[in-house]
Every structure is written in structure tokens, then in C-alpha cells.
Amino acid sequence: MKILISGFEPFGGMKTNPAMELLDEIKEKSSDQLEIYTILLPVVYSECGEKLVEKIKAVEPDAVIALGVAKGRASMQFEQIAINMEDVGSEKEIADNAGDTPKGRAVITNGPDGYFTTLPIRHLNAVLRQSGVPSAISNSAGTYICNTTMYHMLHYVRRALKPIPAGFIHVPAVPSMAVNEPHIPTMTLSAQLQGLQAVLLELERME
Ligand code: PCA
């Protein structure tokens, strides 16, 4: 089985991104039965989705998991839906790494309003909890780069006759990101890795 996992560069003044660090760690778990491919994506609205779709076309994986950090969330969260909206908000806007600050722009002009994930997220959420990793289902991937990436991925995947499982997991901040913001919830990289591995093993088992 081939699984493609994507992550992101740091953004918004962060020095690291667990969604980048996890890629190196998970690549080491590749085996003959489970080939793991990874791609690091730029935190840029106009590039993130295209780069991921290009990689899906090149690798032809049996499943795709996109990862991103969501500072403030306390558990690993399976995103249910991506929406056709790019918006950096009006209060604390964070430009993307190319300085783009969209306000209510479509991800794909005239595309559907939203796409549901094709990952069996309820089942995977239960599996993660059983393996001792705090996890939840989220009904909003936001309107920043993670949502845009998920939308492009599903726009591509959902057109296939038999769509492969494809979804987005938001991970919490790691402790090093909370040193000067000690109120934000964190989860160690090793706990996040344990959760990601449990997801991959289950996808392999279900194949
Ligand atoms: N998190 C951001 C973009 C990159 C990342 O890791 C998000 O949630 O949109």
C-alpha cells in the first residue's frame, strides 16, 4: 500500500511546524507493505493545493493524509469538510508566506461550496482514542492554507470513479511553540507520531 503524507513549512512567525517535523519521523516507518511518501508544502494560497495534486498524480497513492498545525487545539483533529473560501479574517490576520491576505475569495471559482473528506474519520477517531491519543472530529478546517489544500485535494480525488481515502488532520502545537504562550494546549511530537502511525496502520489493515 502506498500512502502520501503532506506537511507544511513554518508560518506566521513560528520557528517550526510539527506538520513538517512529523514528515521526517514518519518516513522512517516505511516498509515493504506500507510505502510512505511525503511532501512538504509551502504556506502559500496560490501554490499549496497545486503542489499536492501534482504529487498525488506522480505517486498514485492508495490514500492521502494532509497534516497541518492548529495552534490552540488540544487534540489531533480529523477535518470533516473543506469549504470553497479563502479568508485571513479581519481581527488577527496572518498573511501567507508570500504576503497574500485574501478576504472571502473562492478557492476554485464556481467550485462546489464544500467537499466532505473521503477518510473514514469516525472510525479512525475511535481507533486513535483506543490507542490512547486524544483526538476529535472537527467541522471546520478554517479558511487559511490548510482548508485551501484540503479543498484542492478533494476536488481532485472526488472526481475519480472510486475516490481514494483522502483527508486532513490538524495537530496541536508542540511544547516548544508554547514557551512564551504557556496558555496554549500542546502535545508532544512523539504522541502526535503515535497517533499518525495508528491511523496509517488502520488504513493498511482496512485495505
Ligand atoms: N497550519 C495552517 C497552514 C499551515 C499549517 O500547518 C492552517 O491551519 O491553515
Side-chain angles (χ1 to χ4, degrees):
M1 182 184 194
K2 283 198 246 179
I3 296 200
L4 174 61
I5 302 180
S6 72
F8 283 109
E9 293 170 342
F11 64 99
M14 291 176 197
K15 289 198 182 61
T16 188
N17 188 337
M20 172 176 76
E21 294 180 31
L22 281 169
L23 296 185
D24 289 335
E25 303 277 343
I26 200 70
K27 232 186 326 203
E28 312 237 311
K29 313 287 179 199
S30 208
S31 66
D32 289 346
Q33 299 76 34
L34 185 67
E35 288 176 54
I36 299 175
Y37 295 79
T38 61
I39 179 169
L40 182 67
L41 299 172
V43 180
V44 176
Y45 278 108
S46 62
E47 294 176 18
C48 56
E50 206 172 284
K51 290 240 156 84
L52 179 55
V53 170
E54 267 170 30
K55 186 78 177 180
I56 296 173
K57 288 179 184 164
V59 170
E60 298 186 339
D62 301 299
V64 192
I65 308 262
L67 300 169
V69 69
K71 217 166 102 177
R73 298 202 195 178
S75 56
M76 302 211 23
Q77 298 191 351
F78 295 93
E79 295 298 344
Q80 175 125 262
I81 186 168
I83 62 172
N84 193 12
M85 168 69 62
E86 300 183 329
D87 195 313
V88 287
S90 48
E91 285 170 26
K92 231 181 80 192
E93 51 173 67
I94 307 179
D96 75 6
N97 285 353
D100 192 10
T101 55
K103 302 272 166 66
R105 183 176 70 198
V107 176
I108 294 179
T109 310
N110 299 324
D113 288 346
Y115 281 113
F116 288 119
T117 184
T118 52
L119 266 189
I121 57 174
R122 270 169 199 77
H123 174 66
L124 292 174
N125 185 43
V127 167
L128 271 206
R129 289 183 176 195
Q130 261 161 28
S131 77
V133 177
S135 77
I137 286 171
S138 159
N139 291 311
S140 174
T143 50
Y144 196 50
I145 310 299
C146 291
N147 174 71
T148 291
T149 304
M150 185 181 175
Y151 189 92
H152 277 286
M153 169 175 76
L154 292 169
H155 185 73
Y156 177 72
V157 163
R158 291 275 302 270
R159 287 190 190 169
L161 229 45
K162 197 169 166 277
I164 56 170
F168 200 100
I169 305 176
H170 262 123
V171 299
V174 282
S176 66
M177 292 166 66
V179 173
N180 295 314
E181 292 176 279
H183 56 281
I184 65 166
T186 64
M187 189 188 282
T188 61
L189 198 70
S190 63
Q192 297 186 14
L193 183 63
Q194 188 192 329
L196 181 57
Q197 261 186 285
V199 168
L200 300 194
L201 284 178
E202 185 59 16
L203 287 174
E204 187 190 350
R205 200 191 63 78
M206 289 169 74
E207 249 252 307

